[in-house]
Amino acid sequence: MSTPASTATLKPRRLVLEMPEYHPPLAGREALRLDFNENTLAPSPLVLDRIKQITAEQLTVYPEREPAERKVAAHLGLDSNQVLLTNGVDEAIHLICCAFLEEEDEALIATPSFFMYDVSIAMMTRGLIKVQADETLQFPFERFIAAINERTKLIIVASPNNPTGATVSRAQLLAIANAAPHAVLMVDEAYFHFHGETVLGDLATTPNLIVARTFSKAYGLANLRIGMLAASPEIIGYLRKVSSPYNVNGVALDCLSVAIEDDAYITWYAEHIRMGRERVMGALDEMGVHYFPSAANFVLMKIGPLHKELVAAMRRRGVLLRDRSADPGCDGYVRITVGIGNQVPRGLEALKASLNEIGWRPMYGFTTTESKDEQEF
């Protein structure tokens, strides 16, 4: 009997060996979840009603994506051939990279931003170009547009951005698209509902534009893993070609169809998040915590050397935060998701107590609303 060859001789592509790997800290999350920017309450009640109606036979059938895509497209004022549903925006990013990147191409992102951009791009090319934001963490528009060249084939911009909460104006996004007609521009609008500005209406006049949306945030369907891409029929055709026909499960598709019908719930939830966000930023001002004004459902705080101690102290109080110190330019930064209702005061009370417990003091004696030049030393 022959001996099987050692698995040590089996290697994937070189880029797979070299690419970064994402390890989300998901263990032990039985607490107030102010760490992952999820909906912290629930999806629309219509979703739970629909789940209860799903039959055993429905679970035995391969899912059909197209009926849900038609409903989503109609809801957004688009044609059905302009929409592709995906297994979360994570898969959407992966599909775009597979469809448009050759190994010799360049892809352009601004950092800090969503780490899955790095993962999917690095799987296809070594030409990942990162334009780092300055200490304000605002989008570096001038330097970003200057980084576009003939090798640039993919550009990804998030607005609002994660983890900063910063936005990029419609005029700037269209200027980027126009500066790179040979590249596709994906605008990640995962946090659209908490900001309200979109370039979805520019798809007809901007042929290289792709808009990504998720149903994990405001819609509260993170566990079902469903997102979407909207673009020209030509681009969507390429993306369908590299997508599995059964990439989104039938339960998710069924629930999405009713979730998008409940506009009243989404409007209510987003408005409460916006109110909670203002309350969080106001409380941080009072505590002397430097933060970055956000248009999303989270706020990034500058804690400094005690960032790990703060996250641990908050966990002991039953509240989860996300340490973002590993992100480029974010050493000492911690992100807090904005909850809803009594989750906001609960989180703020735990934050104040935790800061006191770890002996934290405001750095430089200034907050976001005051510059050091305005302070009296």
Side-chain angles (χ1 to χ4, degrees):
M1 182 175 179
S2 61
T3 303
S6 170
T7 55
T9 63
L10 302 176
K11 299 290 185 183
R13 292 186 300 115
R14 287 193 301 274
L15 290 181
V16 174
L17 290 173
E18 297 170 6
M19 64 183 279
E21 192 171 353
Y22 184 45
H23 297 283
L26 286 172
R29 299 188 67 227
E30 293 77 20
L32 178 53
R33 299 174 287 108
L34 304 186
D35 56 341
F36 268 61
N37 305 337
E38 301 151 315
N39 178 313
T40 58
L41 182 65
S44 161
L46 299 180
V47 171
L48 298 181
D49 289 343
R50 178 56 62 95
I51 288 176
K52 294 173 184 177
Q53 296 170 19
I54 293 175
T55 66
E57 184 180 1
Q58 284 177 277
L59 298 179
T60 70
V61 180
Y62 281 110
E64 292 187 52
R65 195 174 54 199
E66 288 76 11
E69 287 175 340
R70 288 195 294 270
K71 291 182 181 179
V72 171
H75 184 74
L76 296 174
L78 301 172
D79 293 331
S80 59
N81 61 0
Q82 290 182 275
V83 170
L84 174 67
L85 293 177
T86 60
N87 193 260
V89 172
D90 290 356
E91 189 203 19
I93 299 163
H94 175 72
L95 294 177
I96 291 173
C97 292
C98 288
F100 291 102
L101 284 178
E102 304 278 7
E103 192 166 346
E104 66 273 13
D105 291 337
E106 288 185 357
L108 182 63
I109 65 173
T111 53
S113 199
F114 185 38
F115 186 63
M116 288 306 295
Y117 305 153
D118 298 55
V119 172
S120 289
I121 291 170
M123 189 185 307
M124 303 305 298
T125 177
R126 291 188 180 88
L128 173 56
I129 307 300
K130 302 179 183 182
V131 180
Q132 177 64 35
D134 63 18
E135 64 277 3
T136 68
L137 296 188
Q138 295 301 302
F139 182 71
F141 174 70
E142 297 294 341
R143 289 184 291 116
F144 191 83
I145 207 164
I148 297 171
N149 61 51
E150 66 280 358
R151 291 181 58 196
T152 308
K153 292 300 187 292
L154 171 62
I155 303 169
I156 300 180
V157 179
S159 183
N161 185 40
N162 174 22
T164 66
T167 60
V168 186
S169 72
R170 173 176 172 267
Q172 289 177 328
L173 291 169
L174 295 180
I176 293 168
N178 291 332
H182 56 288
V184 291
L185 166 63
M186 188 195 98
V187 178
D188 189 343
E189 294 185 350
Y191 300 96
F192 157 75
H193 292 92
F194 313 115
H195 175 46
E197 295 184 15
T198 179
V199 290
L200 204 61
D202 296 294
L203 290 175
T205 55
T206 313
N208 59 335
L209 177 63
I210 305 174
V211 176
R213 293 273 184 91
T214 181
F215 300 98
S216 296
K217 310 302 181 185
Y219 283 91
L221 302 180
N223 201 285
L224 295 181
R225 308 306 304 128
I226 188 162
M228 60 153 276
L229 292 171
S232 69
E234 182 181 18
I235 287 178
I236 291 298
Y238 298 143
L239 296 172
R240 285 192 193 281
K241 196 171 183 178
V242 297
S243 169
S244 163
Y246 310 123
N247 60 331
V248 181
N249 73 79
V251 176
L253 293 170
D254 211 20
C255 290
L256 176 63
S257 295
V258 297
I260 61 173
E261 295 173 359
D262 198 349
D263 285 331
Y265 175 81
I266 297 302
T267 300
W268 174 85
Y269 183 81
E271 179 59 26
H272 277 74
I273 292 298
R274 286 191 287 268
M275 291 189 297
R277 182 176 67 205
E278 293 304 312
R279 185 172 180 181
V280 168
M281 292 191 291
L284 294 177
D285 277 329
E286 293 177 2
M287 295 181 213
V289 177
H290 182 74
Y291 65 90
F292 298 88
S294 174
N297 66 336
F298 56 82
V299 179
L300 186 67
M301 308 176 288
K302 187 173 184 178
I303 300 300
L306 296 176
H307 56 97
K308 291 183 180 179
E309 288 82 353
L310 175 62
V311 172
M314 289 288 281
R315 180 179 280 272
R316 289 193 293 272
R317 287 178 169 80
V319 180
L320 303 179
L321 300 182
R322 185 74 183 273
D323 192 338
R324 302 305 321 187
S325 291
D327 291 350
C330 291
D331 186 29
Y333 293 7
V334 175
R335 191 187 66 202
I336 182 170
T337 299
V338 177
I340 194 168
N342 64 3
Q343 294 173 345
V344 176
R346 179 181 165 190
L348 291 173
E349 289 167 9
L351 179 62
K352 186 174 183 179
S354 296
L355 290 172
N356 288 333
E357 175 190 332
I358 65 176
W360 180 89
R361 295 293 179 270
M363 294 176 291
Y364 314 119
F366 73 98
T367 67
T368 299
T369 54
E370 302 172 293
S371 72
K372 284 192 282 186
D373 293 335
E374 294 168 334
Q375 288 282 321
E376 293 182 5
F377 287 91

